Amino acid sequence: KGRSSLKRDFGLVWPLKRMAPTAAAGWILAGAAVAILAQALLIPVNAVAGLDEPAQQVSRSLQDANGAGRVLFAMGVVFLAPPVEELLFRGALLRGLQRRWSVPVAVFASALVFGSIHVVADPGAISVVPGVMLLGLVTGAAAARHGDLARPVLLHMGFNLLGAVGLLLT
């Protein structure tokens, strides 16, 4: 029952149409803060599991890339993955779940699916589920509260940016 508009159907809008550049930068920084919190949550998990290298295949691929390919890969992780994933998980899934369930239940369920899909796509990434679910909870709450995907996309970009920069510097 789409209305042939990514904005009306999924809430996908250009962030700078909704907010000042400084506010957009603030949401990106908030996403980086969520990434720091997620990393803190993963410290005990990684210690118990004995993990000292990135758990996700995408992180290992970024580390293994060279030269311009490494920069382009990182740009894809920061600028391409967030809008696509937010469109799917908060634009389609969360909106669909909100039609049947309360907002908190829908946000939790979409975050659970978001975390789980990262393991389905990469079974070795089970240790990142708590951090990815945290991102899903925060972006889901922002999407539900504001009714569009501008803030979730920026949060997700900040989350991925911190990880990509960290991997590029190693």
Side-chain angles (χ1 to χ4, degrees), residues 4-157:
S4 301
S5 165
L6 288 176
K7 178 181 177 183
R8 288 187 303 234
D9 291 341
F10 302 103
L12 186 63
V13 295
W14 179 246
L16 296 179
K17 281 187 148 188
R18 296 279 177 162
M19 63 189 78
T22 53
W27 284 98
I28 291 171
L29 288 174
V34 172
I36 291 168
L37 180 58
Q39 285 299 318
L41 289 173
L42 292 176
I43 289 171
V45 173
N46 290 340
V48 169
L51 300 174
D52 54 353
E53 66 178 46
Q56 283 188 292
Q57 180 59 41
V58 70
S59 299
R60 292 189 298 271
S61 296
L62 178 57
Q63 276 187 325
D64 294 343
N66 293 317
R70 190 171 187 176
V71 173
L72 289 173
F73 194 93
M75 289 177 66
V77 166
V78 175
F79 297 110
L80 183 62
V84 170
E85 289 184 349
E86 292 307 316
L87 189 62
L88 178 62
F89 292 102
R90 262 54 74 184
L93 180 62
L94 178 60
R95 283 176 177 236
L97 293 174
Q98 283 180 292
R99 290 186 195 109
R100 304 203 89 152
W101 298 334
S102 68
V103 170
V105 172
V107 167
F108 180 78
S110 70
L112 184 62
V113 171
F114 181 62
S116 299
I117 203 73
H118 283 79
V119 176
V120 169
D122 183 5
I126 189 99
S127 65
V128 301
V129 170
V132 174
M133 276 191 66
L134 176 62
L135 175 63
L137 290 169
V138 173
T139 55
R145 180 163 189 236
H146 297 283
D148 65 53
L149 298 181
R151 290 157 189 86
V153 167
L154 293 170
L155 283 163
H156 199 144
M157 288 172 72

